[in-house]
Amino acid sequence: MSPPAPLEVDMVGVTDTSAMPVPDPLTINGVPTWREKMGQMPTGVAAACSSDMFKSPACYSKPKAKRFDHYFSLEAKSRKASTLKTAAQFLKNPGMISLGGGLPSADYFPLESLDMKVPTVPGFSPEATKKTGTTLHAGKHDIKEGKSLYDLEISLNYGQATGAAQLLRFVTEHTEIIHHPPYSDWQCTLTAGSTYAWDTALRLFCERGDYILLEEYTFASAAETAWPLGLKAAAIAIDEQGLIPEAMDDLLSNWDEKARGARKPFVLYTIPTGQNPTGATQSAERRKAVYKVAQKHDVIIVEDEPYYFLQMQPYVGQDAPAPPPPANHDEFIKSLVPSFLSLDVDGRVVRLESFSKVVAPGSRVGWIVASEQIIERFVRNFEVSSQNPSGISQLVLYKLLDEHWGHSGYLDWLINLRLEYTHRRDALLHSCEKHLPTEIAHWVPPAAGMFHWIEIDWKKHPGVAAGKPREEIEEQIFLSAVDHCVLLSRGSWFKADSSAVMEKMFFRATYAAASSEKIDEAISRFAECLRDQFKL
Amino acid sequence: MSPPAPLEVDMVGVTDTSAMPVPDPLTINGVPTWREKMGQMPTGVAAACSSDMFKSPACYSKPKAKRFDHYFSLEAKSRKASTLKTAAQFLKNPGMISLGGGLPSADYFPLESLDMKVPTVPGFSPEATKKTGTTLHAGKHDIKEGKSLYDLEISLNYGQATGAAQLLRFVTEHTEIIHHPPYSDWQCTLTAGSTYAWDTALRLFCERGDYILLEEYTFASAAETAWPLGLKAAAIAIDEQGLIPEAMDDLLSNWDEKARGARKPFVLYTIPTGQNPTGATQSAERRKAVYKVAQKHDVIIVEDEPYYFLQMQPYVGQDAPAPPPPANHDEFIKSLVPSFLSLDVDGRVVRLESFSKVVAPGSRVGWIVASEQIIERFVRNFEVSSQNPSGISQLVLYKLLDEHWGHSGYLDWLINLRLEYTHRRDALLHSCEKHLPTEIAHWVPPAAGMFHWIEIDWKKHPGVAAGKPREEIEEQIFLSAVDHCVLLSRGSWFKADSSAVMEKMFFRATYAAASSEKIDEAISRFAECLRDQFKL
C-alpha cells in the first residue's frame, strides 16, 4: 500500500503541426494520422495521462459540459488531491535523482515475459484460433528496447488511477469513434470493473436518505449496491422499450419532498440496451425523450452499457431468410442505437463501459465516460481506494486490442459477437415458439443483450381460484421448474422497489451460456412444468 | 455488470479419513499431506469457497473470535446477501440446466493460452531468469483436460468476491504457516489491493464524525482515504520502535467524548513493520504491549503489512562481516517479528496483506485475514463493488506461487528479497555515513521496509535566528535539495493530524528504486544542500 507517485511526462498539446488532415469526426482510418500528430505516448512508471492527450481536435469545437457541483456528496466535495503527488512536479527537472516515492524496482518483479495466444481476424472461433491464432509477446523492458509502447516493467508497477495511458488512449479513441459526444470536455478513466464504478458513482452523488431513479425491474446487484448506503428506490414504469419517459416526468413533477422525506431524486440508473432483466432496448426516439425529461428535472443519467455491442440482427422468425450482416464498419456503427452519451449536450451522462460481455469479465477492467469535472472526482476516489485496474489485465487488453487487432479488428470481433449472439437468441426463441404454451406464455424478441423475459399469465393458474397470492404462485412455478431440472430467474428478484405490488409475472432466461441443444432441452422442460402447473 | 452466480460445489469437510498425520501446526512440508486429505478443489465457474476448506485441523482446536457486532457501521449492518445468489443452491441438483445466471460462454474469451517466463529457484535475478527461467503455460481448458486446477476458462469468467479457491488456498496455507492465528474461526479473502481493503475497512466500521487512531506520522494516502469519509485523526506518539503503547493508553483513557464531540476511537491503523514513513519496526514486546492496550479499550487493530517480508538482516555497519543469511525456512520464519495476527487471541486484528512489495504492485491483488464475522462483511461489500481482483492476475499468481514455486520456493524468493533489500539499505546507510553532516543529521538504521527517516536538527538552521518558523525552514531545505537535483519526501507530508505542532523535522528517503551509485550521488547532493543551508 504505497502512493503511486506519478512521474510527470510532458503533456503533448493538440496543436496541429503538419498538413495531414485529421478526419472530423474521427474515424477508424483517421486514427493513425491522428496518432502521428499527437506525438509521444507517456510511457514512464505511473505516468500521468488524460483523455485530452488522445481526443482529436474535432472534439474541442463543441461547447463545454455544465457544472454539477450542486450534486456532489459531502464525501466527494471534501476529497482533496494526494499530498504525495505534489512532489511529482519536481520529477520533470532534468538530472533529478528521486529517493521520494516508494516504487519497487522492476528487478524484483518475477515475470520476464508474457505470451498470449489470441484470435487473428477473421478467425475468431476457438477452433480457428488454435489453427490461425497469433501469439503476442510482452517482454519486461519492451519500451526501453523500442519493441512496444507498453511492457511488464510499467504494467507490473504502480499506476495512475486513470489507468495506463496506453489503454486509456484506445478507449478514448473508441469512445470518440462510436459516440462522438456532443460537448468538448468529456474524458475517460479506466475502472476496476463497472460494478465498482457504480458503487463509486453512488458515493460521489448521493447522501444517505436520498432516492435514486431505477427502472421498475432492474439488475438486482446494482440495486443491492445502493441499499446499504441508505438509498431508496424511486421506480419508473417500463414497457417493451424500457424506461417510459412520461412515467419518469410524472414521478419527478409530482415529487413531494415532505411526504417522501427526501429531496427530489437526481440520479437515474438505466441499462438502455438489452436491459437486465427484461432484455428491452430503448429506441433512439425513446432515449431522446428520456434525455429531455432528464434535462427538465436536472437529472444525471448513469447509463450502464455492458450489452451495447450485444445488439443483434433483427429477429425475423424461423422461416424467413436471415438478414445480411453489416457489410462494413460504417454500416455496423450506424446500425447501433445511439447512446445517451451521444445525445449528451449537457455533460449529464455518466457512461459505464465494460469489457465483461465483449472480452472477458475476469479482466475486471471497465471504463467511465463523463465530463472532466465528474471524471476528476472519480479519479480522486480511485487514487485512495482501488488505485487502478490490474496492470496485467491492462497489458493483456492493450496487446490484444491496440497492438494486435487495432480498432478495425476490434469492430470485426464485435460484429462476430453480434452474429454469435443472434444465433444464440434465435435458438432460444425457436425453442420457445416450439415448446411453450402460448395460452399463458408471452414474450417480445430481445434486440440486444443476454436475456429473454417471459411473461406468464398467472391469473389462469388454478391456484388463483384457490385464493393463492401471486407471489406464492410464482414460487410454486419456480420450484416446479427446479423439479423439472431447469433453472430460470424469478421476475420478482429484479423488483427495484421491493414494496411495489406486481401485477404481472415474469421469468428471465439467458441464452448466453448453454448450447442450443441444452437450451432446447431446458425450454422443453420449462414448457412441461408450465403445462403441469396450469393443467394444460 | 452481472451477478457472479456461484456454482456451489460440495464443501469438503475436514474429517480425517486416512492415517497420514497432518503436522500441527501446519508446516510447508505438511502441505502436500494436508492437501491430499482435504480432497477436491472447487474448480467450477465462480465456485463458492472459503478458507475453511483449506485450514488444517490444528486450527479448529482453538477458541472462537469475539463478536464485533457493536462496531459495524450502519452501512455494514444493512448489507444483505445477494438475491441472485439464492438461486445458486439449486445448481447442485444433478442434471440441472441453468438459464439463470448471465455468465458469458468461454467460447467468446479471445485468449486461448497464456505463457509466462518466471524465475526458477534459486536463480531469482533477471539475468538468471533469462538463462534458467521456466515458462509456465495456462491453456483455456486445462481443468477439463486434467492439466491444471486453474485455467483461462475459469479465471476469465466472473468469480467470487473471496477470490478463486485456487489462490485462496495458497494464501490461507501461507497465513497458517507464517502466523498460525491463535483463534479458530479466522478466514482470508482476496481483495483488489490493500488500499481498497483499507477503504472498505473504514466503511465497515466507521461513521462520519468518528476519530480513528493513527501513528503520528503515517502513510499519507491511508490518511487521505479517511478524511473524505468525515473521519478525524487521533494521533499516537511514536518512537524508534513505532507506536508507543502508553501514549495510546493515555489517549484512550482520557478520551473526553463531550470535548471531542465524538465517541472513543476503536479502530487503530498501524504499519507495524518498516513503517511508512519512519521505517520503524515494532518489536515483539512492543506489539504485545500495544495488543494489551487494544484489549483494554476494545480496539480493532488494522495492521497494514506490505513490508512484513522486507525485514532485513541486522545492520552491522560498513566494516563488520555481514551476518549469515537464514540457513533454512524455519530459521527464516523464526527471524520474523511476530505479527499482531499471531498474537490475536480475540480476533480483533484485521491484517491487510499485499503482493505489491514482494511480487508486483500491478497485480492489484492483496488479501485480508480476520475473523469469519468480519471477513463475511468484507465479502458482502466486495460482491457489489470490486467483485473480485482480476482473474488474469489471480491466474498468473497461482501459476507462479502455487504450481511453480510452491510454499517452499516462495519462501526462497522472500529470503532472496530480504538479502536484496539488506544490500540496498546498507548502500544507503553507507552513503549517509559517508556524506551527511552528523552535526545536524541523525537516523536509526531501518530494520525493515523501504524507507529511511532522517532527522534534521533544524534549530541549528540560521533561519531560526531570523525568526523563521519550522515549516518555512523545512520547505527551504526541501526546495534547496530540489535545486541540488535530489528529491526526498518532507516529513510534514506524513503528519496524521495536520493541526499538530511538529517539534522535530524529518526527511524520508527510499532505497527501493535507485541503484547504489545513484543513491550515493543523491545523498552526496543532499549533504551538499544541508551544508549550504546550515552554513557548515
Side-chain angles (χ1 to χ4, degrees):
Chain A
M1 201 162 146
S2 178
L7 305 191
E8 284 275 339
V9 171
D10 282 341
M11 302 278 285
V12 178
V14 290
T15 324
D16 205 330
T17 53
S18 96
M20 291 182 294
V22 176
D24 171 11
L26 188 65
T27 61
I28 291 181
N29 295 334
V31 166
T33 309
W34 170 233
R35 286 191 176 185
E36 210 164 301
K37 276 177 194 285
M38 198 279 292
Q40 226 188 319
M41 165 73 79
T43 53
V45 176
C49 62
S50 88
S51 289
D52 282 336
M53 293 174 165
F54 311 120
K55 285 157 65 183
S56 83
C59 299
Y60 296 94
S61 59
K62 296 165 185 168
K64 282 197 156 195
K66 288 188 193 301
R67 303 281 299 176
F68 288 94
D69 306 69
H70 54 298
Y71 282 156
F72 286 127
S73 67
L74 185 53
E75 176 181 328
K77 270 188 266 191
S78 50
R79 217 173 263 289
K80 290 179 189 150
S82 158
T83 308
L84 297 181
K85 281 176 201 292
T86 57
Q89 57 179 304
F90 301 109
L91 293 172
K92 282 185 293 190
N93 301 19
M96 178 68 74
I97 304 178
S98 174
L99 306 181
L103 298 171
S105 160
D107 285 355
Y108 307 138
F109 301 157
L111 264 186
E112 279 305 301
S113 63
L114 204 65
D115 289 79
M116 54 210 92
K117 188 162 184 190
V118 300
T120 306
V121 181
F124 289 126
S125 71
E127 298 71 34
T129 307
K130 272 182 201 127
K131 277 186 217 151
T132 66
T134 307
T135 298
L136 312 177
H137 177 80
K140 202 181 217 174
H141 301 291
D142 282 354
I143 298 173
K144 281 178 189 154
E145 293 166 6
K147 294 177 186 162
S148 174
L149 290 177
Y150 200 28
D151 63 15
L152 286 164
E153 176 174 3
I154 301 305
S155 62
L156 289 175
N157 217 319
Y158 285 103
Q160 289 294 310
T162 49
Q166 290 86 345
L167 190 56
L168 187 69
R169 178 174 71 174
F170 186 86
V171 304
T172 300
E173 290 167 350
H174 175 81
T175 300
E176 187 175 343
I177 292 165
I178 303 292
H179 305 284
H180 33 83
Y183 66 98
S184 64
D185 54 339
W186 59 274
Q187 291 201 345
C188 304
T189 177
L190 298 191
T191 88
S194 63
T195 310
Y196 173 64
W198 168 235
D199 178 51
T200 308
L202 290 171
R203 299 183 192 276
L204 210 62
F205 293 117
C206 302
E207 301 289 359
R208 193 162 272 279
D210 280 344
Y211 278 77
I212 52 172
L213 298 163
L214 297 172
E215 288 147 341
E216 68 178 317
Y217 293 100
T218 191
F219 176 42
S221 293
E224 284 160 0
T225 306
W227 309 152
L229 309 187
L231 304 176
K232 293 173 221 162
I236 305 171
I238 55 177
D239 61 16
E240 72 291 344
Q241 273 197 40
L243 207 56
I244 302 173
E246 296 77 13
M248 177 171 161
D249 187 26
D250 274 2
L251 189 144
L252 291 169
S253 299
N254 299 311
W255 190 263
D256 182 337
E257 289 210 359
K258 277 197 184 149
R260 296 277 198 160
R263 58 180 167 166
K264 199 164 101 171
F266 57 91
V267 171
L268 165 68
Y269 174 81
T270 178
I271 308 167
T273 314
Q275 204 250 6
N276 186 354
T278 64
T281 296
Q282 298 171 27
S283 66
E285 287 315 303
R286 177 62 66 96
R287 288 174 202 224
K288 283 179 196 158
V290 169
Y291 191 81
K292 270 195 190 151
V293 176
Q295 287 185 305
K296 177 177 168 190
H297 295 282
D298 197 18
V299 165
I300 289 169
I301 300 173
V302 179
E303 64 168 344
D304 188 14
E305 278 284 51
Y307 312 110
Y308 189 70
F309 286 111
L310 300 189
Q311 295 181 51
M312 295 170 284
Q313 300 283 93
Y315 183 67
V316 290
Q318 296 200 50
D319 302 318
N328 53 47
H329 294 151
D330 272 356
E331 212 178 89
F332 172 57
I333 293 174
K334 276 183 199 142
S335 80
L336 301 167
V337 192
S339 63
F340 277 110
L341 176 64
S342 73
L343 307 173
D344 185 21
V345 289
D346 297 343
R348 63 174 66 255
V349 170
V350 176
R351 184 174 172 86
L352 309 184
E353 294 267 15
S354 168
F355 285 117
S356 291
K357 306 303 189 293
V358 291
V359 178
S363 77
R364 294 288 84 215
V365 176
W367 78 97
I368 310 173
V369 192
S371 75
E372 183 179 7
Q373 184 191 24
I374 291 172
I375 292 294
E376 192 270 346
R377 291 288 92 187
F378 273 105
V379 169
R380 289 288 89 74
N381 184 320
F382 296 164
E383 277 170 358
V384 291
S385 181
S386 67
Q387 297 207 23
N388 50 257
S390 156
I392 307 176
S393 289
Q394 290 188 64
L395 180 63
V396 167
L397 288 169
Y398 170 78
K399 296 298 273 192
L400 173 67
L401 298 178
D402 193 297
E403 269 191 14
H404 179 52
W405 282 347
H407 289 287
S408 168
Y410 184 45
L411 289 195
D412 289 336
W413 167 258
L414 294 173
I415 293 170
N416 169 65
L417 270 187
R418 174 190 182 93
L419 300 178
E420 287 286 325
Y421 273 85
T422 299
H423 180 74
R424 286 179 166 274
R425 177 209 52 192
D426 290 359
L428 177 70
L429 289 176
H430 297 168
S431 295
C432 288
E433 290 162 12
K434 186 165 130 201
H435 299 299
L436 292 187
T438 47
E439 310 93 288
I440 54 151
H442 315 286
W443 59 87
V444 176
M450 295 182 155
F451 300 113
H452 183 44
W453 189 237
I454 304 168
E455 185 180 349
I456 302 295
D457 191 355
W458 65 278
K459 290 187 179 153
K460 294 186 181 152
H461 192 277
V464 172
K468 276 195 189 165
R470 202 208 64 88
E471 185 72 0
E472 214 170 285
I473 293 171
E474 184 187 299
E475 185 168 19
Q476 198 177 313
I477 297 172
F478 172 76
L479 292 174
S480 160
V482 167
D483 285 342
H484 284 80
C485 276
V486 55
L487 192 65
L488 287 91
S489 297
R490 289 173 60 173
S492 58
W493 288 343
F494 302 94
K495 272 166 62 179
D497 177 356
S498 58
S499 67
V501 177
M502 281 173 78
E503 286 299 322
K504 296 183 174 180
M505 182 185 294
F506 299 96
F507 287 86
R508 189 194 77 174
T510 180
Y511 41 88
S515 66
S516 298
E517 294 71 35
K518 288 237 173 181
I519 284 177
D520 193 63
E521 175 60 28
I523 293 295
S524 129
R525 290 177 186 176
F526 186 50
E528 210 176 301
C529 142
L530 289 177
R531 287 207 185 80
D532 279 7
Q533 281 288 310
F534 286 81
K535 316 283 181 211
L536 300 176
Chain B
M1 197 159 152
S2 180
L7 305 191
E8 285 276 341
V9 171
D10 281 340
M11 303 278 285
V12 178
V14 291
T15 325
D16 206 328
T17 51
S18 96
M20 293 182 293
V22 176
D24 172 10
L26 188 65
T27 63
I28 290 182
N29 295 334
V31 166
T33 309
W34 169 232
R35 285 190 176 187
E36 211 166 303
K37 277 177 193 286
M38 196 280 292
Q40 226 188 319
M41 165 72 80
T43 52
V45 176
C49 62
S50 88
S51 287
D52 282 336
M53 293 174 165
F54 311 120
K55 286 157 64 182
S56 83
C59 299
Y60 296 92
S61 58
K62 297 165 186 168
K64 281 199 157 193
K66 288 187 193 301
R67 303 281 299 176
F68 289 93
D69 307 69
H70 54 299
Y71 282 157
F72 286 126
S73 66
L74 185 52
E75 176 180 328
K77 269 188 266 191
S78 48
R79 218 173 262 290
K80 292 181 187 148
S82 160
T83 308
L84 296 181
K85 283 177 200 292
T86 56
Q89 57 178 306
F90 300 109
L91 292 172
K92 284 187 292 192
N93 301 20
M96 178 69 75
I97 304 178
S98 173
L99 306 182
L103 298 171
S105 159
D107 285 354
Y108 308 138
F109 301 157
L111 265 185
E112 278 306 301
S113 64
L114 205 64
D115 287 80
M116 53 209 94
K117 189 163 184 188
V118 300
T120 307
V121 181
F124 289 126
S125 71
E127 298 71 36
T129 306
K130 273 184 198 123
K131 279 186 216 150
T132 65
T134 308
T135 298
L136 312 177
H137 177 81
K140 201 179 217 175
H141 301 290
D142 281 356
I143 298 173
K144 280 179 190 154
E145 292 166 8
K147 295 176 184 165
S148 174
L149 290 177
Y150 200 28
D151 63 15
L152 286 165
E153 176 175 3
I154 301 305
S155 63
L156 289 177
N157 216 322
Y158 285 102
Q160 288 294 311
T162 51
Q166 290 86 345
L167 190 56
L168 187 70
R169 177 174 73 174
F170 186 86
V171 304
T172 300
E173 290 167 352
H174 175 82
T175 300
E176 186 174 346
I177 290 164
I178 303 292
H179 305 285
H180 32 84
Y183 66 97
S184 64
D185 52 339
W186 59 274
Q187 290 201 346
C188 304
T189 177
L190 298 191
T191 88
S194 64
T195 310
Y196 174 64
W198 168 234
D199 177 52
T200 308
L202 290 171
R203 300 184 192 275
L204 210 61
F205 293 118
C206 301
E207 302 289 358
R208 192 162 273 279
D210 279 345
Y211 279 76
I212 53 172
L213 298 163
L214 296 172
E215 289 148 340
E216 65 177 320
Y217 293 101
T218 192
F219 175 42
S221 294
E224 285 161 0
T225 306
W227 308 153
L229 309 187
L231 303 176
K232 294 173 220 161
I236 304 171
I238 56 177
D239 62 16
E240 72 291 345
Q241 272 197 40
L243 207 56
I244 302 173
E246 295 78 12
M248 177 171 158
D249 188 25
D250 274 2
L251 188 145
L252 291 170
S253 298
N254 300 310
W255 191 263
D256 183 336
E257 288 210 0
K258 275 197 187 150
R260 297 276 198 159
R263 59 182 167 166
K264 199 163 101 169
F266 57 91
V267 171
L268 166 67
Y269 173 81
T270 178
I271 308 167
T273 313
Q275 203 250 6
N276 185 356
T278 66
T281 297
Q282 298 171 26
S283 67
E285 286 317 302
R286 178 63 65 95
R287 289 174 201 225
K288 282 178 196 158
V290 169
Y291 191 82
K292 270 193 190 152
V293 177
Q295 287 185 305
K296 177 177 167 190
H297 297 282
D298 197 17
V299 165
I300 288 170
I301 300 174
V302 179
E303 66 168 343
D304 187 14
E305 279 285 50
Y307 313 110
Y308 190 71
F309 285 110
L310 301 188
Q311 294 181 52
M312 294 169 286
Q313 300 282 94
Y315 183 66
V316 290
Q318 295 200 49
D319 303 320
N328 53 47
H329 294 152
D330 272 357
E331 213 178 90
F332 172 57
I333 293 173
K334 275 182 199 142
S335 80
L336 302 168
V337 191
S339 62
F340 277 109
L341 177 64
S342 73
L343 308 172
D344 186 21
V345 290
D346 297 342
R348 63 174 65 256
V349 171
V350 177
R351 184 173 171 86
L352 309 185
E353 294 267 15
S354 169
F355 285 118
S356 290
K357 306 303 189 292
V358 291
V359 178
S363 78
R364 295 288 83 215
V365 176
W367 78 99
I368 309 173
V369 192
S371 73
E372 182 179 8
Q373 183 191 23
I374 291 172
I375 292 293
E376 192 268 346
R377 292 287 91 186
F378 273 106
V379 169
R380 288 288 89 74
N381 184 322
F382 295 165
E383 278 170 357
V384 291
S385 180
S386 67
Q387 297 210 21
N388 49 257
S390 154
I392 307 176
S393 288
Q394 290 188 64
L395 179 64
V396 166
L397 288 169
Y398 170 78
K399 296 299 274 191
L400 172 67
L401 299 177
D402 194 296
E403 267 191 16
H404 179 52
W405 281 348
H407 290 287
S408 169
Y410 183 46
L411 289 194
D412 290 336
W413 167 257
L414 295 172
I415 292 170
N416 169 64
L417 270 188
R418 174 189 181 95
L419 301 177
E420 287 286 323
Y421 272 87
T422 300
H423 181 74
R424 287 179 164 273
R425 175 208 55 190
D426 290 359
L428 177 71
L429 289 175
H430 297 166
S431 297
C432 288
E433 289 162 14
K434 186 165 132 202
H435 299 298
L436 291 188
T438 48
E439 309 94 288
I440 55 151
H442 315 287
W443 59 86
V444 177
M450 295 182 154
F451 300 112
H452 183 45
W453 189 235
I454 305 168
E455 184 179 349
I456 302 296
D457 191 353
W458 66 278
K459 288 185 180 154
K460 294 183 181 154
H461 192 278
V464 172
K468 277 194 189 167
R470 202 209 62 87
E471 185 71 358
E472 215 169 286
I473 293 171
E474 184 187 299
E475 186 168 19
Q476 197 177 316
I477 297 172
F478 172 75
L479 291 174
S480 161
V482 166
D483 284 343
H484 284 80
C485 275
V486 55
L487 190 66
L488 287 92
S489 297
R490 290 172 59 173
S492 58
W493 289 343
F494 302 94
K495 273 166 62 179
D497 177 355
S498 58
S499 67
V501 177
M502 281 174 77
E503 286 299 322
K504 295 182 175 182
M505 182 185 294
F506 299 95
F507 287 87
R508 189 194 77 173
T510 179
Y511 40 90
S515 65
S516 298
E517 294 70 35
K518 289 239 172 179
I519 285 177
D520 193 63
E521 176 60 28
I523 293 297
S524 131
R525 291 177 186 176
F526 185 51
E528 212 176 301
C529 143
L530 289 177
R531 286 204 186 83
D532 280 4
Q533 282 286 311
F534 286 82
K535 315 283 179 211
L536 300 175

